[in-house]
């Protein structure tokens, strides 16, 4: 199938968030009382037209041209109020109890009008693609936590009991109401041990809930791309994330060596994923709109089976021979993503491996350079289609800044990109070279006038890979290649003064 779309529109977005905290310390050390208030308000209005020419190769008699106007108004508010009290337990412990109430309200009104040739206007309301919907998500939770701190050891354990009520109300085109209540016990724990001021080990376990947004709940068809129709699902429920992580940091001030390592894993029951259905035959969505053969309908659903694990490390040490610092880093990430394809369970396994190295200079105040390279290997496998997609990418760069003479600055930036394993025509091997020459001016070299050239070799392209539960998509976008720019830069800096600490230079 094939679709061509042209759209234009105008929107308005407003987001406001406020917070207020009041804390009171009693005479007894460690005893305190605090009140927290958070509030938010948002508005999102949009109006736009879309013309679409859709061609169905197997059913040319069903080719269709759409000309529609969409108007939607979304608004919402949220608030949270928390009262907490802390009491010391012994000389090294503290107990805290907190209670919080909150609510998130969303209101969405979407109207779609079809263009009428006789009237030469968008005056025919498409009721099947229009929707008015309200959602309320009320939460109430009580938390009890204990903190222990002595010498090098810090421990914190807490338990939270949460009651959440989700209420969905559709007003148009038909009226219905869905109410759901969720009760969860959410434990968390944190342990930190400081071997010294420069070495510490940390473990963290947290659980949290996430509620679906109004866009995901609103059951209205979005046919902006008739080959890829989307709809919300009012039967969605909240998901619970269980996350555990471990971190280790070490730094030697005498040798300037540093090391950092991290491992993190998450498991999410009732994970919100996609259900994709491909039409074998034409299916009526509304009285005027049809899901044609070969087109897809995507809807969010809750499924079990999601988990993720990732690791990362970084090691750095000085290179005294060239007055620089060298660092090595690596990352391994694996994700298991469940989904539904034509009502059959599918699992996508995605693994990423990355290694990199960087040399950063500290030669002098007039010369600075940075050399880095990073290689990555990606593996994607799906159980249902029994397909596997592997790709390799490498990015290397050299950056140089050189103050040649009396404020005359030369800068050069060379980046090389290599991609293999992508779709035919998307495996690229190109180099981007940017450079500039500038002159520092004004008092204390605060200002600089420079002439810049970007993509000197005229090779820049934009290639991206998008991995989903049902397909792998390689895209290439138009980018601005070689161009020149004259710029003026002025630096605002704060310099401590011996006479007046914190004085700002003018």
């Amino acid at each position: 199938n094939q679709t061509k779309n042209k759209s234009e529109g105008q929107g308005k977005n407003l987001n406001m968030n406020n917070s207020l905290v009041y804390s009171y310390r009693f005479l007894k050390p460690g005893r305190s009382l605090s009140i927290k208030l958070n509030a938010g308000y948002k508005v999102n209005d949009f109006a736009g037209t879309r013309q679409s020419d859709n061609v169905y190769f197997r059913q040319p008699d069903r080719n269709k041209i759409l000309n529609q106007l969409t108007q939607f108004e979304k608004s919402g508010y949220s608030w949270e109020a928390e009262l907490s009290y802390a009491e010391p337990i012994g000389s090294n412990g503290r107990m805290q109890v907190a209670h919080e109430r909150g609510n998130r309200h969303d209101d969405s009104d979407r109207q779609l009008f079809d263009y009428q040739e006789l009237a030469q206007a968008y005056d025919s309301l498409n009721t099947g693609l229009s929707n008015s919907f309200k959602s309320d998500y009320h939460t109430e939770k009580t938390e009890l936590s204990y903190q222990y701190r002595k010498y090098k050891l810090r421990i914190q354990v807490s338990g939270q009991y949460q009651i959440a009520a989700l209420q969905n109300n559709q007003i148009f085109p038909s009226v219905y109401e869905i109410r759901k209540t969720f009760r969860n016990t959410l434990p968390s724990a944190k342990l930190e041990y400081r071997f010294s001021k420069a070495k510490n080990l940390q473990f963290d376990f947290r659980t949290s809930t996430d509620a679906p947004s109004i866009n995901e709940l609103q059951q209205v068809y979005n046919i902006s791309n008739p080959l890829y129709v989307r709809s919300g699902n009012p039967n969605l429920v909240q998901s619970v994330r269980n996350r555990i992580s471990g971190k280790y940091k070490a730094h030697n001030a005498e040798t300037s060596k540093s090391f950092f390592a991290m491992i993190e894993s998450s498991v999410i029951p009732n994970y919100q994923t996609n259900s994709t259905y491909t039409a074998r035959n034409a299916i009526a969505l509304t009285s005027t709109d049809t899901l044609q053969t070969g087109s897809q309908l995507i809807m969010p659903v809750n499924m079990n089976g999601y988990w993720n694990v990732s690791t990362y490390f970084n090691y750095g040490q000085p290179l005294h021979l060239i007055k620089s610092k060298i660092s090595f880093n690596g990352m391994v990430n694996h994700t298991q993503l469940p989904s539904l394809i034509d009502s059959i369970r599918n699992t996508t396994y995605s693994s990423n491996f990355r290694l990199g190295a960087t040399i950063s200079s500290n030669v002098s105040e007039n010369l600075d350079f940075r050399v880095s390279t990073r290689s990555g290997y990606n593996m994607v496998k799906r159980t249902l289609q029994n397909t596997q997609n592997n790709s390799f990418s490498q990015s290397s760069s050299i950056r140089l800044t050189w103050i040649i003479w009396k404020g005359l600055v030369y800068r050069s930036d060379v980046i090389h990109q290599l991609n293999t394993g992508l779709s035919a025509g998307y495996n690229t091997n190109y180099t981007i070279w940017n450079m500039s020459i500038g002159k520092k001016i004004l008092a204390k070299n605060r200002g600089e006038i420079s002439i810049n050239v970007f993509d000197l070799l005229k090779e820049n392209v934009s290639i991206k890979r998008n991995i989903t539960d049902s397909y792998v998509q390689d895209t290439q976008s138009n980018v601005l290649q070689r161009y020149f720019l004259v710029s003026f830069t002025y630096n605002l800096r704060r310099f401590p003064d011996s006479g007046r600490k914190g004085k700002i230079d003018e």
Side-chain angles (χ1 to χ4, degrees), residues 220-266:
V220 58
Y221 295 110
N222 183 344
I223 61 169
S224 57
N225 183 348
L227 308 183
Y228 198 73
V229 180
R230 302 194 70 94
S231 173
N233 181 2
N235 295 311
L236 290 175
V237 300
Q238 68 170 196
S239 58
V240 179
R241 177 184 292 270
N242 302 275
R243 184 180 69 89
I244 186 170
S245 65
K247 299 177 183 178
Y248 176 76
K249 299 178 183 179
H251 176 74
N252 191 321
E254 296 180 358
T255 63
S256 295
K257 293 181 180 181
S258 62
F259 179 75
F260 172 78
M262 179 272 292
I263 183 170
E264 180 178 294
S265 181
S266 296

Side-chain angles (χ1 to χ4, degrees), residues 395-446:
S395 179
S396 302
S397 65
I398 301 176
R399 293 179 172 86
L400 173 70
T401 301
W402 183 19
I403 302 179
I404 304 173
W405 174 75
K406 292 186 177 181
L408 189 64
V409 184
Y410 171 76
R411 295 182 177 90
S412 182
D413 184 356
V414 180
I415 303 172
H416 177 264
Q417 181 68 42
L418 172 67
N419 296 313
T420 63
L422 304 181
S423 304
Y426 291 85
N427 294 306
T428 54
N429 185 355
Y430 61 92
T431 301
I432 301 176
W433 187 7
N434 309 317
M435 70 167 60
S436 69
I437 186 79
K439 180 66 173 69
K440 293 186 178 295
I441 58 175
L442 304 180
K444 298 184 180 180
N445 291 327
R446 290 289 188 85

Side-chain angles (χ1 to χ4, degrees), residues 415 429-434 453-461 479-484:
I415 303 172
N429 185 355
Y430 61 92
T431 301
I432 301 176
W433 187 7
N434 309 317
V453 55
F454 296 90
D455 192 17
L456 183 64
L457 304 179
K458 207 174 181 179
E459 293 187 4
N460 189 19
V461 294
V479 294
L480 182 62
Q481 292 187 319
R482 183 193 303 151
Y483 66 97
F484 296 84

Side-chain angles (χ1 to χ4, degrees), residues 132 143 190 253 268 320 410 460:
S132 183
E143 182 178 20
K190 185 175 182 179
I268 306 179
H320 300 291
Y410 171 76
N460 189 19

Side-chain angles (χ1 to χ4, degrees), residues 95-362:
M95 186 75 73
Q96 180 173 295
V97 61
H99 185 77
E100 178 186 293
R101 297 190 69 181
N103 185 50
R104 187 191 73 190
H105 174 83
D106 292 297
D107 193 340
S108 178
D109 185 18
R110 183 178 188 267
Q111 294 181 324
L112 188 142
F113 298 88
D114 291 312
Y115 186 79
Q116 297 298 311
E117 293 290 345
L118 292 177
Q120 296 289 299
Y122 297 97
D123 61 356
S124 177
L125 177 65
N126 190 321
T127 58
L129 301 179
S130 301
N131 185 273
S132 183
F133 193 84
K134 293 183 178 181
S135 176
D136 278 278
Y137 183 66
H138 177 79
T139 58
E140 185 163 3
K141 50 191 176 183
T142 301
E143 182 178 20
L144 182 65
S145 63
Y146 175 75
Q147 301 174 5
Y148 178 83
R149 188 180 206 181
K150 185 176 182 180
Y151 303 120
K152 302 178 180 182
L153 181 64
R154 298 180 184 180
I155 299 175
Q156 178 176 321
V157 293
S158 64
Q160 182 183 108
Y161 182 72
Q162 182 190 87
I163 301 177
L166 179 63
Q167 179 177 340
N168 302 324
N169 295 284
Q170 180 174 287
I171 303 169
F172 181 85
S174 60
V175 178
Y176 70 82
E177 179 180 290
I178 296 178
R179 293 174 177 262
K180 296 180 182 294
T181 302
F182 312 99
R183 291 177 170 83
N184 292 289
T185 300
L186 306 173
S188 64
K190 185 175 182 179
L191 183 148
E192 181 178 1
Y193 186 80
R194 293 183 176 271
F195 301 94
S196 64
K197 292 183 178 180
K199 291 182 181 181
N200 73 81
L201 179 65
Q202 186 180 107
F203 291 98
D204 193 3
F205 171 72
R206 294 181 182 273
T207 55
S208 60
T209 60
D210 184 30
S213 67
I214 191 168
N215 288 335
E216 296 158 340
L217 293 167
Q218 195 170 12
Q219 192 173 19
V220 58
Y221 295 110
N222 183 344
I223 61 169
S224 57
N225 183 348
L227 308 183
Y228 198 73
V229 180
R230 302 194 70 94
S231 173
N233 181 2
N235 295 311
L236 290 175
V237 300
Q238 68 170 196
S239 58
V240 179
R241 177 184 292 270
N242 302 275
R243 184 180 69 89
I244 186 170
S245 65
K247 299 177 183 178
Y248 176 76
K249 299 178 183 179
H251 176 74
N252 191 321
E254 296 180 358
T255 63
S256 295
K257 293 181 180 181
S258 62
F259 179 75
F260 172 78
M262 179 272 292
I263 183 170
E264 180 178 294
S265 181
S266 296
V267 178
I268 306 179
N270 285 328
Y271 177 76
Q272 185 176 303
T273 184
N274 287 332
S275 173
T276 303
Y277 177 77
T278 303
R280 268 55 178 178
N281 299 291
I283 301 174
L285 299 176
T286 68
S287 59
T288 58
D289 297 277
T290 302
L291 185 71
Q292 298 293 349
T293 302
S295 299
Q296 292 183 323
L297 175 63
I298 299 92
M299 180 183 294
V301 293
N302 294 108
M303 291 185 68
N304 294 325
Y306 173 91
W307 66 274
N308 167 269
V309 60
S310 62
T311 62
Y312 175 82
F313 82 91
N314 183 283
Y315 172 78
Q317 71 171 46
L319 282 176
H320 300 291
L321 184 63
I322 55 175
K323 295 183 179 180
S324 303
K325 182 178 181 179
I326 186 171
S327 62
F328 302 93
N329 62 80
M331 183 270 290
V332 177
N333 180 79
H334 180 78
T335 301
Q336 178 178 296
L337 175 66
S339 62
L340 288 177
I341 297 179
D342 294 336
S343 301
I344 302 175
R345 184 183 181 91
N346 174 63
T347 303
T348 302
Y349 300 97
S350 176
S351 299
N352 305 308
F353 307 89
R354 191 182 72 195
L355 284 175
T358 302
I359 298 178
S360 303
S361 75
N362 188 23

